[in-house]
Amino acid sequence: MLAVANLQKSFESPEGQRVAIVNVPAFDLAAGEQRALRGESGSGKTTFLHLIAGILAADSGRVAIDGTEMTGLPEAKRDRLRAEKIGYIFQTFNLLQGYTVLENVVLGMSFGPHGADRAHARQMLERVGLGHRLNHFPRQLSTGQQQRVAVARALANRPKLVLADEPTGNLDRKHAREALALIREVSREQGAALLLVSHDEQTLADFDRVQDFGGINAAAKA
Ligand SMILES: Nc1ncnc2c1ncn2[C@@H]1O[C@H](COP(=O)(O)OP(=O)(O)OP(=O)(O)O)[C@@H](O)[C@H]1O
Ligand SMILES: [Mg+2]
């Protein structure tokens, strides 16, 4: 489902030196599998997810999602593939502030394989418990509700892979637990694989499979 091989990314430091951040020789995820990666702040987790999603271009190596090679494609094609195959959930939700809850999900769908299907967007929002908040703007929602909109948006395109970057980091304990359960349930219902990164032990404890990011990232040992 997800196959990563020899994936490398370095950044230039302000002093002009190349610093290796990601060097992952091999990482795989099976269809429908749910796995968490544990890693401390600055270890390269977000960079790794950005490379998988094609938000960032790798220096070298391969990422294949659902049999489709992602690396080496021009940005526009990576964007299209991401819309087709991936649902991305951000720590800071990344909702469009000038648009309503419903519009946020519909806009997310407009780049995807099923198009801007308002009825499906509404269904997704009902699924995450926000059927009564469709015409609210993000700022009119609680933080837990905003993350639920982001979950609905990420899953509305029926992605094969859901990437969640510290999705509970801005929520209190109770809402973190709720958001995590929702992300896991909806991913499972849709048969999507889930890869979540976090340094929060309570979030990680929810997963049967937890891997240390430092263990798969050779750059961390350099
Ligand atoms: N565009 C960039 N230019 C230079 N360095 C960068 C850039 N993006 C990230 N880095 C560096 O790469 C390292 C890893 O960053 P990344 O955001 O992937 O870490 P993280 O594991 O997600 O951390 P956190 O848990 O705090 O979110 C950091 O040391 C950061 O300074
Ligand atoms: Mg991060």
Side-chain angles (χ1 to χ4, degrees):
M1 209 317 293
L2 169 67
V4 171
N6 298 318
L7 191 65
Q8 302 196 332
K9 182 74 182 175
S10 60
F11 289 117
E12 195 157 316
S13 74
E15 295 78 33
Q17 278 178 327
R18 300 295 310 173
V19 182
I21 300 295
V22 169
N23 177 5
V24 175
F27 181 79
D28 290 278
L29 206 63
E33 184 182 344
Q34 301 201 342
R35 202 183 310 172
L37 291 177
R38 170 196 284 115
E40 45 192 65
S41 184
S43 61
K45 304 180 299 297
T46 294
T47 306
F48 183 53
L49 292 190
H50 282 177
L51 292 170
I52 292 173
I55 295 169
L56 269 179
D59 298 337
S60 60
R62 319 175 31 229
V63 173
I65 293 161
D66 196 26
T68 307
E69 191 72 40
M70 194 92 171
T71 28
L73 295 178
E75 191 173 353
K77 287 210 169 139
R78 293 204 309 271
D79 289 348
R80 180 149 356 124
L81 253 179
R82 182 181 331 121
E84 265 176 41
K85 309 262 188 198
I86 293 175
Y88 204 105
I89 303 172
F90 301 87
Q91 175 173 358
T92 50
F93 322 142
N94 286 19
L95 299 176
L96 298 169
Q97 295 299 323
Y99 294 88
T100 66
V101 163
L102 181 63
E103 287 163 352
N104 262 277
V105 177
V106 170
L107 280 169
M109 293 189 73
S110 60
F111 305 102
H114 311 289
D117 180 344
R118 289 181 81 83
H120 182 65
R122 199 175 294 120
Q123 259 176 26
M124 283 303 304
L125 284 161
E126 282 163 7
R127 172 64 188 84
V128 302
L130 288 175
H132 61 312
R133 290 288 184 272
L134 300 179
N135 297 315
H136 279 57
F137 288 92
R139 65 174 180 281
Q140 299 171 320
L141 300 178
S142 70
T143 43
Q145 288 171 333
Q146 289 182 48
Q147 188 57 306
R148 282 193 265 156
V149 178
V151 172
R153 180 182 57 184
L155 274 301
N157 284 331
R158 302 183 211 283
K160 287 275 168 39
L161 174 63
V162 175
L163 300 173
D165 191 353
E166 207 75 71
T168 57
N170 278 307
L171 302 175
D172 62 38
R173 274 283 147 238
K174 174 170 173 281
H175 291 106
R177 197 181 284 281
E178 281 174 14
L180 180 62
L182 189 67
I183 291 166
R184 298 197 67 189
E185 280 168 24
V186 182
S187 299
R188 200 174 295 123
E189 280 165 21
Q190 299 201 3
L194 170 66
L195 179 61
L196 177 146
V197 303
S198 183
H199 48 60
D200 175 51
E201 286 303 326
Q202 190 164 326
T203 297
L204 293 164
D206 207 55
F207 285 78
D208 296 330
R209 286 204 69 181
V210 180
Q211 244 174 325
D212 273 315
F213 183 60
I216 63 166
N217 186 19
K221 296 169 208 136

